[in-house]
């Protein structure tokens, strides 16, 4: 075949992992017209997609045996290793010429390892982690950060367009994961300032809404302050993105930074503070619940403040 | 007088401090129609305003003797104390019923002290620090954070409108300064994440422009990343806001936080890193030059990177 064309008419897709993110992303591909075979560790989470016409397979390998391009979005790097490289993993099932698209936030070094092992089997592996959270996944407005063979990435355009509103090819295998690390560094370190600013405003006796209004739109402004600041003020810990997931990501950030001989004191501080929040029972709260860890250091109970 | 009306026809203004910020702000008041008497430590900086019709006075006190409402924006809290409370300070020159508007970023406790001493002389003192930098001052688009007697603050609306695009009454004397601390906390701590993210992107071998494009508009986004990130990538240290001024402000933040028994580890880290940048000769660079301090920790020379 002279030019790859990954349109719904040409190929059958595989999907591994139908959690809060993966379920919505897979649905967008199906709505674009792709036929899908899927596997998920917890079959019940896949039921809505199966009811909508997806086929079930009993393992990632069985998914791959039925598909030309296999997408995966699971939990931790260890899960990625199992569903891609394991005995019943997707790589073992893909025919020559197939494509793996791994979308879990995971280690860049693992993405490189997968791409190299894939190449030995004449399979191309792409790393394509996302940002935008459950809302972005649901609305098809994710930002997708992509590493790997560029022509293959561009052939998948209909898939990226179905799932996201902003996708950028970042470089060779691993570059997508590296870019996600850049994103999580900004997210994690930025939240420290947001929480400390609101904590100061509270202790100084300011009206938090007025203070928010004065500073949100200028040089102090950020997505986090505008979107999560009001939740902090309202005492709303509901998750957009779980603290326990950010802690996983920060482990990846700091492991990679260490491998690159790079010191990131802001991320280190963020990791310590998020760990404290998780230890205090906020692992399944949204990242804005970092406020509790910072408040606690000064003996303040943010949930029961005056 | 039953209701104060601080229109250009009713009152004569005083202005103290015609540096990069004060010069532009005073000019906007003059362009709105106010007559102005001014004093500045360095007379040469006042020449353009004098040429435009402002009158010169030889001291803050002399300014106040000629004015109904006196504005000041100088350097450090010690300068504020001198130009307002000193022997030749403005308070000593203001007649009963006058108003002091102190716009320097300074200590909330000093703002409260000034307001109390002013009250003894039947003068009302307002604290009204600003954000938006030299560009905001020049364009009359500052954000103004205001503390003090609310009716007086509202009477000054024509003045706020001349200088800023967003002004919010925050509470009693000192509340304006407290709000500015909230702002600077966000600015200072947020920049750590911006610099660490770009440093990681560089060490990971990413194309910095592509990585920027992928993460700037989502949950990782901020004014600082969008506006100063490109300067960091370009190696442009030109100041919007001097590091040495931010270091002054962070001293105020941490002194006030300590007085409130509040621990702000993110601001502490920011202060240490900005101090390192200043020690390396970046005191008169823009805040984005924080990148040099963070790069240096990992043995990277950001100015001469590959």
């Amino acid at each position: 075949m002279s030019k790859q064309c990954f349109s719904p008419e040409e190929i059958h897709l595989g999907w591994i992992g139908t959690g809060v993110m993966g379920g919505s992303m897979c649905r967008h591909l199906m709505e674009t017209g792709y036929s899908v075979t899927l596997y998920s560790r917890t079959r019940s989470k896949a039921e809505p997609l199966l009811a909508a016409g997806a086929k079930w397979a009993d393992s990632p390998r069985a998914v791959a045996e039925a598909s030309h391009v296999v997408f995966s979005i699971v939990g931790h790097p260890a899960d990625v290793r199992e569903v891609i490289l394991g005995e019943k993993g997707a790589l073992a099932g893909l025919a020559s010429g197939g494509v793996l698209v791994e979308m879990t936030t995971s280690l860049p070094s693992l993405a490189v390892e997968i791409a190299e092992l894939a190449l030995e089997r004449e399979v191309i592996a792409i790393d394509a982690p996302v940002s935008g959270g459950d809302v972005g996944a649901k609305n098809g407005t994710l930002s997708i950060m992509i590493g790997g063979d560029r022509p293959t990435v561009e052939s998948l355009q209909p898939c990226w367009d179905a799932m996201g509103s902003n996708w950028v090819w970042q470089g060779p295998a691993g570059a997508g994961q590296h870019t996600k690390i850049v994103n999580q560094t900004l997210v994690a370190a930025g939240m420290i300032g947001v929480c400390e600013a609101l904590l100061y405003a509270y202790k100084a006796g300011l009206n938090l809404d007025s203070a928010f209004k004065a500073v949100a739109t200028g040089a102090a402004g950020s997505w986090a302050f505008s979107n999560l600041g009001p939740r902090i003020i309202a005492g709303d810990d509901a998750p957009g993105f779980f603290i326990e997931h950010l802690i996983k990501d920060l482990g990846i950030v700091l492991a990679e930074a260490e491998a690159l001989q790079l010191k990131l004191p802001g991320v280190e501080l963020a990791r310590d503070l998020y760990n404290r929040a998780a230890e205090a029972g906020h692992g399944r709260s949204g990242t804005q619940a970092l406020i509790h860890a910072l408040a606690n250091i000064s003996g303040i109970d943010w949930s029961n403040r005056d």
Side-chain angles (χ1 to χ4, degrees), chain A residues 151-170:
Chain A
T152 304
V153 169
E154 288 173 353
S155 300
L156 288 163
Q157 174 163 0
C159 300
W160 310 131
D161 286 343
M163 296 184 283
S165 56
N166 179 29
W167 62 274
V168 184
W169 178 79
Q170 293 291 343

Side-chain angles (χ1 to χ4, degrees), chain A residues 39-278:
Chain A
Y39 167 81
S40 199
R41 195 167 51 186
T42 311
R43 179 163 174 158
S44 61
K45 290 187 182 173
E47 289 298 347
L49 295 167
L50 297 172
K55 290 178 195 159
W56 176 260
D58 281 326
S59 69
R61 179 173 181 156
V63 166
E65 285 167 350
S67 307
H68 302 96
V69 179
V70 176
F71 293 82
S72 58
I73 181 161
V74 292
H76 291 252
D79 304 316
V80 172
R81 186 173 287 282
E82 186 188 339
V83 302
I84 303 297
L85 301 180
E87 199 186 332
K88 293 188 176 177
L91 184 55
L94 262 181
S96 165
V99 178
L100 284 171
V101 181
E102 218 299 292
M103 305 187 80
T104 315
T105 295
S106 172
L107 291 158
S109 56
L110 179 54
V112 171
E113 181 185 347
I114 289 171
E116 287 172 354
L117 292 169
L119 210 56
E120 292 174 10
R121 299 181 57 98
E122 298 181 331
V123 163
I124 289 175
I126 305 294
D127 52 301
V130 300
S131 76
D134 54 342
V135 174
K138 196 173 175 186
N139 297 337
T141 55
L142 293 168
S143 181
I144 313 176
M145 297 155 260
I146 314 173
D149 179 66
R150 189 167 191 171
T152 304
V153 169
E154 288 173 353
S155 300
L156 288 163
Q157 174 163 0
C159 300
W160 310 131
D161 286 343
M163 296 184 283
S165 56
N166 179 29
W167 62 274
V168 184
W169 178 79
Q170 293 291 343
Q177 293 296 348
H178 280 306
T179 306
K180 182 66 192 283
I181 287 177
V182 171
N183 191 82
Q184 298 310 74
T185 295
L186 285 161
V187 165
M191 188 62 75
I192 299 174
V194 168
C195 291
E196 292 192 3
L198 290 173
L199 203 52
Y200 180 89
Y202 162 67
K203 278 294 270 189
L206 292 175
N207 177 299
L208 298 187
D209 294 321
S210 299
F212 175 83
K213 193 176 159 200
V215 306
T217 57
S222 66
W223 185 96
F225 192 66
S226 290
N227 289 276
L228 301 177
R231 292 197 197 179
I232 293 171
I233 293 170
D236 174 6
D237 292 333
F241 188 66
F242 288 142
I243 280 182
E244 65 182 27
H245 289 173
L246 188 56
I247 289 173
K248 177 206 82 168
D249 293 357
L250 294 182
I252 292 170
V253 175
L254 290 170
E256 287 293 317
E258 191 176 352
L260 294 168
Q261 296 184 286
L262 189 62
K263 186 104 176 131
L264 300 178
V267 176
E268 285 173 17
L269 175 60
R271 198 248 318 252
D272 292 347
L273 291 168
Y274 279 112
N275 274 335
R276 285 189 196 214

